[in-house]
Amino acid sequence: MIALLPLLVPLVGAALAALAGERRGALVAASLASTIATFAAALFLPGAPAFQRAWLPGLGVSFSLDPGGAASVLVVVVALVMVPTALVAALTVEERPGRFVAWLLLAQAGLGGIFMARDLLVFYVFWEGTLIPSLLLLGAYGLEKRRAATLKYLTYAVGGSFVMLVTILALKALSGAASFALADLVLAAQDLPAGTQAWLFAGLALGMAVKVPLWPLHSWLVDLNEQNHPSGAADVLGTLYKVGAYGFFAWALPILPLGAERLAPLFIALGAFTAVYGAVVATSQTHLKRLLAYASLSHMGIVTVGVFGLHVAGLNGAIYFLAAQMLSTGGLFVVSGLLYVRRRSFDVDAYGGIAKSAPALAALSLFLIFAFIGVPGLGNFPGEFLSLLGAYQAAPLAAVIATLAVIGAGVYGVNVYQRLFQGQQREATRDLGPVELYLLVPFVAGVIWLGVAPAPQLERIEAQSQLAVLQLAADDQAPDELALGGAK
């Protein structure tokens, strides 16, 4: 039953938040109680038993959740991030704050389901379920051009998900698996020819690449971040929602290893290009949230090269980097919201010299920027390093190209800090208050935790990485037959 708590507690919290409506005291209490209780429950996930109940037995679907492996890391990080994020929304959203917080908590429950699901159709249901809150937050609470941004996001997400659903149904039919359970699909799909696996992998990849995101399927992310509610809370959710890399890691690779091997050169090249492209474009941005969006896109490129290096170090590093960037990127989006409260602008050039009147805000922002750009000892570094190391085993040139994004990160990271906080002070800016300080503490604590003690988390992730690597090694010895439609 412990595996159910990260899903059930946010659902209860969402109901309480909706009932609280615009009563700030009740809304803050519901937000804190729900998110802190979820975080406490998530701490007990490592070693907890799996949960499984028949759901649609006629279709071979069971409601199966496994809190071990990478899920035990990712669910904890999401729960930690949501503590300040829900509070930001409860305190700063002016219109219909109760619904805003409720959508955030519903998305948190969906993310828990994505990371713990061990039935592919259940995974897909949670995958689609988290789309609804993010669309509603953007469409109902965003800025002037929110409708165009929502339409673009909807088009990319639904288009990719439709192909993904068709592929999931085809995968079970072609493989002859007894159910949609991961174990059954892994066992049955290993008999599929390489050509069939490649086509099925491509079908899954279309939906997952949208939500990594990878170039050229990334533009929805930039518009989403720019047009989301200025508090930064919805942007934090967008950061948590980049779960495509996890889909590759947990599902596509172990089920379709021959397909992964055939398409890995394409995806590792796209990942390297995305890493450099995102970093280069980020250096020229003057809109703070667009800058963070492109920088985050660059991170996802590094995550992708780590995954498609098809090496255990890269797989470990990619998922660890995915978890760490939730904290550093999420923290910086909250900082963007705090800056907006003070100056009503996301134009970086409208700031300058803030450190003189707001030293605490400047210091914590610098810390998060250091984590964001991968300074050793902080959260992003272990995952980034392992991702590039794993990619180098398979594609040295692509890994070297992707490493250029690390240099780019230093450029845009130092540049944005200087433009915001250094130089001549244009006007005095209020420093962090006690509540605002609390909002940033969980992000800072998480960054330190993942930076100084990565080993326990990496060991849990590796339990899943080994499954994919073993499948790849086993299928290297299988006959490489080319066929479409399942014929051998």
Side-chain angles (χ1 to χ4, degrees), residues 188 217 265 320-321 388-389 447:
L217 303 173
Y320 199 81
F321 194 17
L388 294 170
L389 179 66
V447 162

Side-chain angles (χ1 to χ4, degrees), residues 304-324:
T304 302
V305 299
V307 168
F308 283 94
L310 305 181
H311 186 277
V312 68
L315 291 168
N316 290 345
I319 299 305
Y320 199 81
F321 194 17
L322 186 66

Side-chain angles (χ1 to χ4, degrees), residues 457-480:
Q457 289 68 246
L458 286 170
E459 288 173 4
R460 293 202 289 272
I461 294 170
E462 186 164 330
Q464 259 178 283
S465 301
Q466 289 290 357
L467 172 62
V469 172
L470 287 172
Q471 285 297 104
L472 290 163
D475 282 319
D476 280 341
Q477 302 169 16
D480 186 23

Side-chain angles (χ1 to χ4, degrees), residues 153-201:
Y153 180 31
L154 182 66
T155 302
Y156 276 87
V158 172
S161 295
F162 174 75
V163 177
M164 190 170 155
L165 176 60
V166 172
T167 306
I168 289 171
L169 298 175
L171 172 61
K172 182 175 182 296
L174 293 174
S175 67
S179 72
F180 287 97
L182 175 63
D184 287 340
L185 290 172
V186 167
L187 187 64
Q190 66 182 357
D191 293 330
L192 290 173
T196 306
Q197 288 202 28
W199 281 104
L200 292 170
F201 192 94

Side-chain angles (χ1 to χ4, degrees), residues 386-399:
L386 287 172
S387 295
L388 294 170
L389 179 66
Y392 190 82
Q393 310 303 315
L397 178 60

Side-chain angles (χ1 to χ4, degrees), residues 416-430:
V416 73
Y417 180 78
Q418 288 182 332
R419 292 160 75 186
L420 289 171
F421 296 100
Q422 298 294 298
Q424 186 174 2
Q425 180 177 243
R426 299 188 178 188
E427 60 179 278
T429 300
R430 177 171 55 83

